[in-house]
Amino acid sequence: MGKRLLALLVICTLLAGCGAEPDSPSEPADPAATEQPNIVATLAVCGDTMSHMPQTRDAYDEAAQGYDYKPMIRFAKPWVSAADYAVVNLETTFAGGPDYSGFPAFNSPDALGAALADAGFDLVSTANNHCLDRGYDGLARTLDVLDGVGLAHVGTYRSAEERNDNDRGVYLADVGGIRMAFLSYTYGTNGIPVSKSHSGTVNILHTDYLDDAQTLSTSLLWRDFKAAKALSPDLIAVMVHWGTEYQTTQNDHQEEIADYLFSLGADIILGGHPHVLQPMETRELQNEDGTTRTGFVCWSLGNFISAQNDEYTDTTVVLQLELTKNPNTGISQVTNVQYVPMYMLDREQQVNGERYILLDAHRAIRDYEAGKTDLVTTSTYKKLQKCVEDCHAILGKQGDSLSR
């Protein structure tokens, strides 16, 4: 009887289960749980890179019988390589040696390109007033050298066909998960005309570039931005060679150019050519549909590698732009701006092979105060302090990363 009773209970239980009400519907999913987190990336930007002859001679390694610029920029490397992506302006050519030259017609050893790649740079802007210093052949060989060391480039091209085959010369990059379109232009080429047989090889801002460079090539810019937008980038960055040399504030024409570039869709404008720092600013911009976005412009980053030592010309920064993309809204923008003050030390004839060293100003000051460096003299210490003060005065103290 016990087994029969047990069997009955099991059957009843099974029947009861089959007739049970289905589970109640689950609660709707929390919309917040489906949102994707922001994508945050860092873009490092550095200024004009050239090699005056004292630096070219200093970069020569007698023992290795070759050139090496890596020691010259070793203190900038940690900041450049730490970024998700890094860009720099190359204001010289790699036309081949041994007839290297500095100002006024630059031609530097290929080793400079290798050093930039080693430091962590990804993209080089090649459109500037010195890009034709050694003619078309020098321009083309420069691009060959950059390709050889793995550096992307934008602004000059081997042919109009090469430019057009690459989205009108726009360079699209993945910057830490953010799609960025880069463009590069120069106000002119130091009076050297782009030959008709090699037209389209230099991105030039002005139709009157052989004269006073005041009339913008609006049709060229409009078509280039159209091509850039067709790539569906999250942000458009423009590197521009412009402004008045040795002037620590932007001029009216720079303002006009920036306004036009922003109206075309630029989000970030990075300036070079004055050889000194100029201010930076963030703007609120209005889109065609009435919505707003932020725009950032740095009028000039000064010299990155240079032997110039007049006031301000030996002071520069590694600019660090924090970029944020909201995948849920599709909005991407610059969300933070910082910089690392850098000072180009010239030890004159004291040390063969390490005369020029680009110092991290804060680190060098700290090391001197702690008695941990033989690079910094009392005189250099004062110059480093002025470097930091000048960066604060021109770029704003709040942006200084106060590297330690």
Side-chain angles (χ1 to χ4, degrees):
M1 291 289 293
K3 290 182 180 179
R4 288 181 183 175
L5 182 58
L6 181 60
L8 248 173
L9 289 170
V10 171
I11 292 170
C12 289
T13 301
L14 291 171
L15 290 173
C18 291
E21 290 292 325
D23 293 338
S24 58
S26 59
E27 291 294 324
D30 182 0
T34 64
E35 289 189 359
Q36 301 178 55
N38 286 345
I39 298 170
V40 181
T42 305
L43 175 69
V45 189
C46 293
D48 300 340
T49 296
M50 62 206 84
S51 183
H52 294 87
M53 283 309 295
Q55 282 176 312
T56 301
R57 289 189 290 269
D58 189 49
Y60 187 73
D61 185 335
E62 186 72 37
Q65 294 290 293
Y67 293 86
D68 187 2
Y69 288 83
K70 295 173 188 175
M72 196 179 296
I73 57 174
R74 64 183 183 269
F75 294 111
K77 180 177 178 177
W79 299 106
V80 174
S81 60
D84 292 294
Y85 204 78
V87 300
V88 65
N89 175 49
L90 181 67
E91 197 167 357
T92 184
T93 66
F94 300 136
D99 60 330
Y100 299 119
S101 55
F103 183 82
F106 285 98
N107 177 33
S108 305
D110 299 353
L112 178 56
L116 294 176
D118 176 77
F121 288 104
D122 300 283
L123 177 66
V124 171
S125 173
T126 53
N128 54 69
N129 59 313
H130 287 286
C131 65
L132 287 176
D133 278 2
R134 289 300 183 98
Y136 170 78
D137 289 344
L139 179 150
R141 190 180 182 281
T142 299
L143 302 182
D144 293 341
V145 171
L146 295 174
D147 287 341
V149 297
L151 281 170
H153 42 83
V154 62
T156 60
Y157 312 89
R158 297 175 184 88
S159 66
E161 290 75 21
E162 180 182 74
R163 183 183 193 276
N164 292 331
D165 289 345
N166 288 281
D167 304 297
R168 292 188 60 82
V170 180
Y171 187 81
L172 186 67
D174 181 342
V175 179
I178 297 175
R179 287 168 61 89
M180 287 194 69
F182 288 91
L183 301 93
S184 168
Y185 301 92
T186 178
Y187 73 92
T189 52
N190 284 350
I192 304 171
V194 178
S195 67
K196 292 182 180 179
S197 58
H198 298 295
S199 62
T201 53
V202 182
N203 284 350
I204 300 180
L205 272 175
H206 301 89
T207 57
D208 56 344
Y209 75 100
L210 295 176
D211 191 9
D212 58 357
Q214 291 296 305
T215 305
L216 277 179
S217 183
T218 54
S219 60
L220 170 76
L221 293 167
W222 186 88
R223 291 195 301 271
D224 289 354
F225 271 83
K226 182 179 179 181
K229 291 176 182 177
L231 299 174
S232 300
D234 298 310
L235 293 168
I236 297 177
V238 190
M239 291 177 279
V240 192
H241 216 66
W242 60 2
T244 305
E245 289 183 314
Y246 315 115
Q247 182 175 299
T248 57
T249 56
Q250 70 275 18
N251 61 36
D252 291 343
H253 192 47
Q254 284 172 274
E255 295 270 7
E256 293 168 5
I257 295 170
D259 290 343
Y260 185 67
L261 295 177
F262 280 134
S263 75
L264 290 177
D267 300 291
I268 299 170
I269 300 175
L270 306 167
H273 175 61
H275 302 300
V276 296
L277 291 171
Q278 291 183 345
M280 56 187 181
E281 61 184 83
T282 300
R283 298 182 180 184
E284 183 175 288
L285 306 172
Q286 188 160 1
N287 299 315
E288 293 179 358
D289 61 3
T291 59
T292 59
R293 73 183 198 280
T294 59
F296 171 82
V297 55
C298 181
W299 300 104
S300 173
L301 280 167
N303 292 325
F304 181 60
I305 299 178
S306 164
Q308 292 181 313
N309 53 18
D310 290 334
E311 188 175 22
Y312 305 118
T313 61
D314 51 11
T315 293
T316 187
V317 300
V318 177
L319 183 65
Q320 302 167 311
L321 301 182
E322 179 188 82
L323 314 174
T324 302
K325 176 181 178 179
N326 184 330
N328 308 293
T329 63
I331 295 175
S332 300
Q333 57 189 332
V334 176
T335 47
N336 191 28
V337 179
Q338 289 189 315
Y339 62 82
V340 180
M342 307 293 295
Y343 173 76
M344 181 58 81
L345 171 65
D346 177 2
R347 297 200 287 177
E348 299 179 347
Q349 305 300 327
Q350 296 177 27
V351 180
N352 183 29
E354 281 208 339
R355 173 179 173 179
Y356 293 95
I357 303 174
L358 186 63
L359 297 176
D360 174 334
H362 284 303
R363 176 178 173 177
I365 287 172
R366 182 182 68 250
D367 287 350
Y368 174 81
E369 291 173 343
K372 295 180 179 179
T373 178
D374 59 359
L375 292 176
V376 181
T377 64
T378 301
S379 174
T380 300
Y381 177 66
K382 294 177 180 178
K383 292 177 181 177
L384 287 165
Q385 291 177 313
K386 184 178 186 303
C387 162
V388 173
E389 292 168 0
D390 290 342
C391 288
H392 291 176
I394 298 171
L395 300 178
K397 184 176 181 179
Q398 70 278 5
D400 187 342
S401 65
L402 294 177
S403 54
R404 290 289 184 264

